Structure formats: structure tokens, C-alpha cells
Amino acid sequence: MADPSSGRVLRNVRVLTNVFAWLGGIGLATQLLFADTAFAAKAVLVVLLLVVLVSWRWPDRDRWVIAVVEAAVLAGSALVLPAPQPAVAFLFGVVTRRALGGGSSRALVKAVPALAGYLAGQGVLAVAAVRAGSVAFDGLVPRLLPLLGLVIGSAALHATVRAVRHERDARQAVHAVIDASPVGMLLVDDAGTTLLSNARAHSMFGRQNGLCQVLCIHGNNVVLCEKCGGGTGPVELNTDGAVLEVHTAKVPQESRPELTLVVAVDVSERRRQEDALRVRAEQDDLTGLASRPHFLHLLEEALGTGEPVGLLVIDLDQFKEVNDSDGHHAGDEYLREFARRTAPAIPPGATAARLGGDEFAVLAPRSGADGSARLAGRVLRALTTGPEREMRASIGVAVSTPGTTAAELLRDADAAMYIAKQEGGARAKLFHDEIGARVQARQRDKADLRAAVHGGQMVVHYQPIVELATSRVTGAEALVRWRRPGRGLVRPDEFIGLAEETGLIVPLGAQVLEAACAQGARWSSEGRALGVTVNVSTRQLSSAGFETSLLHALRVTGMPPENLTLEVTESVWADDAAMQGLMAVRDSGIRVALDDFGTGYSSLSYLQRYPFDFVKIDKSFVAALGETGRTAGVLRCVIDLADVLGARAIAEGVETPEQAEWLRREGCAYAQGYLFGRPRHPDGWDDQPAARGARPVRS
């Protein structure tokens, strides 16, 4: 990208100046040859003049000696020639050539000897003429004024040349930078002709007839197009697969119509990244469904139309079991499988999304209650038609009414989904006012439970655990009760699930554990050899600092570790952090009991790998005793298995002497149930056998 105008002007000035200087030199030589003076003097001056003229052919070799020779020629010419004009012409040529050097002030300084030589010669003549009385003193003024003008003009010319050269150098530097720029640049006149363009512009737009031209999407020159030009904003063009962003800006000119600067930026990579980010923002990485933010945006747009909008909120019923038992990789594949199975059930115009975790949603614009319910049915049927295991989900359906907000519709669909899950899952529920009331009651329960846990409304009762061989009470299980205002004592099966859901199980469990340790220490100080069993949730076990807080409670209360038993369910096996915490506290002397054995995902490998001190037989097996021989056989197996593994069996839910007698006879070590005593407050708690007919077995 070069601008030759300043260089061309300088060359033209230099040519004219050289022509004038050569003409002046030749003219002076001619005058000297024909001057009426001694031949020797003329010959010397002509030779010196020829030396000067020859030196002009190699200006880069110009030395100070040439400047001295120029001074000698001018001084001699002033003395020899009758008229000063030829010498003055030559002097003008010499000085202006020096002034055109422009590189440094030394070039102009070299013109001083020539000027001084001419002045010296003219001065000698003037003094002689004045003394002879032939010329008045004021006659010197006309001789000197042209020289003064020559000096001033030459200095101005020198300064001008230097300025032009500096500007040219600066332009060349700018042009070099622009040529190296990754941005395409063109300077276009008002007729659309490209005056200047850089290499990047050539690679972007190519050349036609030696010129680079930017054609807009309308097929016109981008500068002349009324829709694209005028600097109204960037224009996006696609050329050979590249995306170019073209900007235009007017460049005012003093001597001619304004020009237009066209700047083109290749934004292909940026567009690709933006598209990728947009896809990531709009799609869930795992399932490929719509993301939560994009789905909420679509929901807002659909509600803005004023037409009814159907919304399905879907929660997978078995995801936690899959994730816990098979690992997170299997859980991820389970979520992807859900997306694959339900895709055919989603009609055109509807949008499926993953809201987070195992919660999904389907947006059905312009869909009423019947259409949304049918859509939910298709989704449920799609989950049962997979090639592998059947998938189950709970679906809540809500339909907007005029003025419904996105948050309200989501809340209603989520409430309906919660009721579907409470009713056993694998079903869809359509939201109605009664569901809203039930969910509001649930929210009140959550708030009341939070106030109860932090407000001292939780109390601990204790149910005796009896050694069947002796009918002696050897321990007690700590069971929490909620003294709810206006409701009396609330059993744990009515609020433990709520505590798990809200995370209150951790502070609640800590309270029960501390109270049980304090009570066990109190019984020990009274001389009662009673152990205490406390239920601990998997979430509590895996919480940070559980082991530290437990050991602190033992230390503060003085409860011997061997008198404390932690009771856990089989779900603890699926949580590595919980299992590590459990085994760590067991190493400190605390005993561990496996609760509800046989009702969950029992695994002999876990029983063998992780030692338990007690295995508790679920009350459902005890209640079924006598109904079938099969139940009795299962109970015998469990009792024998516990014995083989070095643990002792504890039967729960024993309510009749016959059940106790059968368990005692089959070798079950311990039992608890209403036959031996209900859970009671520790005040006045009796550790004597409470069961009628629960006589000890004599060996």
C-alpha cells in the first residue's frame, strides 16, 4: 500500500532545479569563455566550473572541497565578468540544489562558501567602484537584496523538503504497518474507485483490472450502496466460506471530495466460537436437550403470546438407585437413554429440556389440559418401550391461564409432579387447586420442621432391646419424636422423609446422637449396663466433620464408645464417603448395626467386606411368621448368616410371646418390639423385662 505522490513531487522539483542549475553553469561557462579578460584566468575558472558540474553527476560523493571550488568560481566570476547575472544564476542553482538535499542542515551549510565567494567578489568590485566615485554606496542595495531573498528562499526550500521527506517516511512507515495488518483496508473515492488497498484486502476480495473492490450482498460497491454505505454500521459478507465484517467511514478532504475508508475484518473464527457458545448455552451437554436457561426463555416467549401453554415437569423415579448402585457413569447413560426414548414422543413445536439432575421438562405451546395430558401419557409409554430395563418417571402437568408467569407455571407443574411421586411414581398428575393446597401444606411442614429442629421441639424416646436368652434388657434404641404444637407427639415416619428432603436430617441427627450419648452416660453413672443404639442416615455419615463431632460428643458426655451402636441402612453401601466414615468410627470402638436387612439391595459381598456387629431383621418378616414355612426359612437363613459373619441378629417388631419363643429357639440373640415395651421418655424408664411370657431359656 504505497502513496507515490510526495516522492513524485520531490522528483519533479529536483529535476527542474537541476535543469536550472545546469543552465546557469553552462551559461556562466559561456560568459567566461567570451569574457574580455586574460586567458589564463578564464581557463582556470572554466576548469573549476567543469569540476563542479561533473560533481553534480555523483551528488552522493559531494565533499567540502566542491563547496570551496564553487566559492572560488563565484568569486572569480564576480571579478572577471562585467555583469553579475550569469554568476547570480549559477549561485541560485548551487544554493537551491543544496537546499533540496533536505536530509540534514549540513547540506544547506555547504552552500555558504558559494554565497560567501560571490559576496567577496562583489564586495571587492563595489569597494573599488566606490573609491573611484563611479558608483554610489546606495547602489549596493540592489545587488544585495536578491542575495537576501536567495538565502531566505533556500532556507525555506530546505525546511520544506525536510518536512516533505519526514511526511513521506511517516507515510511509508504507516503503509508498512497497514500492509502487515490482518485487517483489510481500502481507500475509495466518491466514484467507487479504489485509490489505495493493502495486501490483506487483496487476499480477501481479490483484484479486478488491477483494483480491489468490495461488493456488498446487494451486488453493488459497498461504498455506493444506499443500504450498506454511509457508515451506518458494519456489513457482514460471506466470501469463499469466510465471514467478513465490513466497516466504512468518511475521510474529509480539503482539496477534493471526501474519501471513504473501508475496513474489513475476518470474523469467521469468532462466529464459529459464538455459534459453539450459543449451542452450549441452548443445549444440555449431556443429553442434547434444551438447557434450562434456553428453556425458560422459550417458556417466557410462549406465555407472551397469550395462548394456553402446557408444561410437563418430569422426574426419574429410579435415578438415585442407578446412580448409587452403578456409579455416576451409569447415571449419565441413564439420563441420555431417557432423552433417546422420549424424543419420538415429543411433537413438532414442543421442546424438551433438562432442568438439572434427573429433572426434565417439556414445553407444549398452544396446548390445553387434554393435549398436555395426552403428551404426558406418550412420554410414559415411551419409557417402557426401551430394549433394556423399563424406565419410570413421575410427571407433573400444568396449563397456563391468562396472566400466568413462568415461575408460577413451573411451580404448579412441579407440585403436580411431587404428588405423582408421592403416589408411587410412574404416573402423571394434572395440577389443580387441591394439589396446590397439599403442596402448600408440605411447605408449611418444612417450615415448621425447621423451626422444630432449631427450636427444641424434638424429644428422644427409648425402646428396650432384650436379650432373648435371658429376657434381660441390655440396651435401648433412641427414637426421635416431634412435639408439634397442636398435634402432640409426631412419629418419625411422618417427618424423617421431610428431614432427608430438606437436609435437616444432619442437624436433627446430631441432636439425637448427642442426647443419646448423654443418656447412655447417665445410665452408666447410675450403674445400669445399657447400650444405646442410634439411627444414623447416610447423608449424616457423609457430611463433613461427622466423626469429629461424634467423638467430641462421646468425650464431653463421658459415654464409653463400646456402649454406643450406630444403626445404618443398606443404602450406606452406595456412598463411599459414608462407608469410610462408618468404618472410621467403628475402629474407635463404636459398634455398627445393619438395619432392615433383606428389604433393600442386600449384598453378601458387602457383608463380608465391611464387618457389622449386629444385623437387624425387619419387622415385616417377624410379622409374617406362622403364615408360610417360607418366611420361617428366610429368617433361619438370616440368623445363621449373621452368626457366620460374626454378627448377632436383632429381630424388630416382636409383639407376641410366640414370635419371641420361635426366635429364641432358632438362636436369634436379641429382639425389640411392643411385647417388651414401647418407646418411652427416659424419665422413669424401666430396664426390667416387660414381656409376659418372655421367660429366659435355661441352658
Side-chain angles (χ1 to χ4, degrees):
M1 188 177 198
D3 181 7
S5 58
S6 59
R8 185 166 56 249
V9 170
L10 284 177
R11 283 196 300 272
N12 292 340
V13 172
R14 186 176 290 109
V15 168
L16 292 174
T17 302
N18 281 331
V19 169
F20 176 76
W22 277 89
L23 290 176
I26 294 171
L28 179 58
T30 303
Q31 289 292 322
L32 288 173
L33 289 174
F34 293 98
D36 188 14
T37 184
F39 177 80
K42 293 191 299 182
V44 170
L45 290 176
V46 170
V47 170
L48 292 177
L49 180 56
L50 291 175
V51 171
V52 173
L53 294 178
V54 171
S55 70
W56 289 353
R57 296 293 304 275
W58 296 278
D60 55 328
R61 298 180 182 179
D62 193 2
R63 300 290 188 266
W64 273 101
V65 65
I66 301 299
V68 174
V69 172
E70 290 171 348
V73 171
L74 286 167
S77 299
L79 295 174
V80 170
L81 297 177
Q85 286 80 2
V88 170
F90 178 69
L91 177 61
F92 267 71
V94 169
V95 174
T96 52
R97 284 190 77 260
R98 299 287 187 188
L100 277 173
S104 67
S105 59
R106 287 170 47 185
L108 190 58
V109 171
K110 287 184 179 181
V112 172
L115 184 61
Y118 178 78
L119 287 176
Q122 291 294 327
V124 171
L125 293 176
V127 171
V130 170
R131 287 183 177 178
S134 59
V135 178
F137 186 77
D138 56 0
L140 295 176
V141 174
R143 294 173 177 263
L144 296 178
L145 282 179
L147 298 180
L148 181 60
L150 174 61
V151 172
I152 295 174
S154 299
L157 178 60
H158 180 73
T160 302
V161 170
R162 292 191 67 183
V164 170
R165 284 183 172 175
H166 288 165
E167 181 184 0
R168 183 188 62 188
D169 294 343
R171 285 188 179 183
Q172 289 176 345
V174 171
H175 292 164
V177 171
I178 293 175
D179 252 343
S181 171
V183 175
M185 296 183 184
L186 304 93
L187 195 62
V188 183
D189 64 13
D190 57 345
T193 302
T194 301
L195 303 178
L196 299 171
S197 57
N198 68 348
R200 183 60 175 140
H202 300 161
S203 66
M204 287 179 171
F205 304 107
R207 288 190 184 188
Q208 294 180 356
N209 299 324
L211 295 177
C212 188
Q213 190 176 21
V214 182
L215 298 179
C216 68
I217 55 176
H218 307 102
N220 303 320
N221 189 305
V222 72
V223 175
L224 301 179
C225 182
E226 295 180 357
K227 297 180 180 180
C228 298
T232 57
V235 178
E236 194 165 286
L237 306 177
N238 287 276
T239 60
D240 297 329
V243 181
L244 305 180
E245 192 175 81
V246 179
H247 303 255
T248 58
K250 295 299 182 182
V251 181
Q253 300 288 300
E254 293 183 1
S255 59
R256 58 181 176 179
E258 64 182 5
L259 305 177
T260 301
L261 176 65
V262 180
V263 177
V265 183
D266 190 336
V267 295
S268 304
E269 183 60 29
R270 189 177 77 191
R271 287 288 180 269
R272 281 192 290 270
Q273 292 178 357
E274 288 174 352
D275 291 343
L277 289 174
R278 188 179 300 108
V279 169
R280 292 191 65 182
E282 295 179 356
Q283 287 188 358
D284 174 60
D285 289 340
L286 182 63
T287 62
L289 302 178
S291 65
R292 181 184 183 94
H294 184 54
F295 183 80
L296 295 178
H297 174 71
L298 295 178
L299 179 58
E300 293 279 3
E301 284 187 341
L303 291 172
T305 64
E307 298 184 78
V309 175
L311 177 65
L312 280 60
V313 171
I314 308 168
D315 189 87
L316 302 183
D317 294 336
Q318 301 166 317
F319 179 71
K320 187 177 186 303
E321 288 80 0
V322 172
N323 218 29
D324 290 346
S325 61
D326 300 335
H328 294 295
H329 177 74
D332 290 346
E333 182 55 36
Y334 195 77
L335 297 177
R336 285 191 287 265
E337 179 64 21
F338 169 84
R340 286 192 291 268
R341 290 194 190 185
T342 55
I346 308 301
T351 303
R354 182 186 177 206
L355 300 184
D358 63 335
E359 189 175 47
F360 297 83
V362 178
L363 170 64
R366 299 180 297 280
S367 179
D370 292 341
S372 299
R374 287 194 296 271
L375 175 58
R378 288 199 299 271
V379 170
L380 288 174
R381 286 192 296 275
L383 295 179
T384 64
T385 57
E388 300 177 0
R389 58 184 167 186
E390 177 183 346
M391 302 181 76
R392 294 164 50 91
S394 300
I395 303 179
V397 183
V399 179
S400 68
T401 56
T404 303
T405 65
E408 291 169 343
L409 194 62
L410 277 167
R411 178 200 63 197
D412 294 346
D414 194 66
M417 182 274 295
Y418 174 77
I419 297 301
K421 188 171 284 292
Q422 288 294 105
E423 293 181 357
R427 68 193 66 201
K429 295 291 290 185
L430 180 65
F431 178 84
H432 50 77
D433 292 341
E434 182 183 346
I435 287 179
R438 289 172 63 181
V439 172
Q440 288 180 1
R442 183 74 170 180
Q443 294 301 325
R444 286 195 298 271
D445 288 344
K446 290 180 180 180
D448 290 349
L449 181 60
R450 183 171 288 104
V453 171
H454 299 294
Q457 297 178 19
M458 313 307 293
V459 295
V460 181
H461 286 189
Y462 297 87
Q463 185 177 32
I465 298 176
V466 174
E467 185 180 37
L468 289 174
T470 62
S471 295
R472 182 173 59 88
V473 176
T474 59
E477 181 177 0
L479 300 169
V480 66
R481 300 289 187 269
W482 178 7
R483 187 182 288 116
R484 190 171 187 180
R487 294 271 304 273
L489 287 177
V490 180
R491 293 168 54 87
D493 54 1
E494 297 183 38
F495 63 84
I496 288 299
L498 194 62
E500 289 275 7
E501 182 181 334
T502 58
L504 290 170
I505 191 67
V506 175
L508 174 59
Q511 289 183 20
V512 174
L513 193 57
E514 187 174 346
C517 288
Q519 184 60 48
R522 191 176 301 115
W523 281 334
S524 181
S525 65
E526 294 172 356
R528 297 179 176 184
L530 296 174
V532 179
T533 298
V534 181
N535 290 278
V536 180
S537 72
T538 300
R539 188 167 184 175
Q540 186 181 356
L541 271 172
S542 59
S543 63
F546 171 76
E547 180 185 1
T548 302
S549 62
L550 172 59
L551 298 179
H552 175 74
L554 292 174
R555 185 169 57 254
V556 170
T557 60
M559 171 77 163
E562 60 273 13
N563 286 358
L564 176 64
T565 300
L566 298 184
E567 191 172 298
V568 298
T569 62
E570 294 169 359
S571 63
V572 73
W573 290 335
D575 192 316
D576 291 338
M579 280 304 304
Q580 290 175 6
L582 186 64
M583 292 301 102
V585 298
R586 189 177 187 275
D587 291 341
S588 65
I590 297 171
R591 295 183 293 182
V592 177
L594 180 62
D595 194 17
D596 299 335
F597 180 75
T599 62
Y601 294 90
S602 303
S603 172
L604 294 179
S605 63
Y606 279 109
L607 281 173
Q608 186 177 10
R609 191 184 315 164
Y610 301 111
F612 288 86
D613 299 284
F614 303 99
V615 174
K616 301 194 76 173
I617 302 173
D618 187 71
K619 61 184 179 182
S620 62
F621 291 105
V622 176
L625 264 176
E627 296 179 1
T628 65
R630 188 173 184 177
T631 300
V634 170
L635 283 177
R636 289 190 187 96
C637 289
V638 173
I639 294 170
D640 292 342
L641 177 63
D643 184 59
V644 169
L645 295 173
R648 285 165 289 179
I650 303 176
E652 293 183 300
V654 178
E655 297 185 357
T656 68
E658 291 76 16
Q659 292 171 342
E661 180 64 25
W662 188 93
L663 291 166
R664 185 185 300 117
R665 189 171 58 251
E666 296 299 328
C668 183
Y670 300 96
Q672 66 183 100
Y674 289 169
L675 177 65
F676 308 108
R678 292 177 175 270
R680 301 191 304 275
H681 193 273
D683 293 343
W685 200 81
D686 189 6
D687 58 359
Q688 297 301 314
R692 299 174 185 177
R695 52 187 177 78
V697 175
R698 304 299 180 188
S699 55

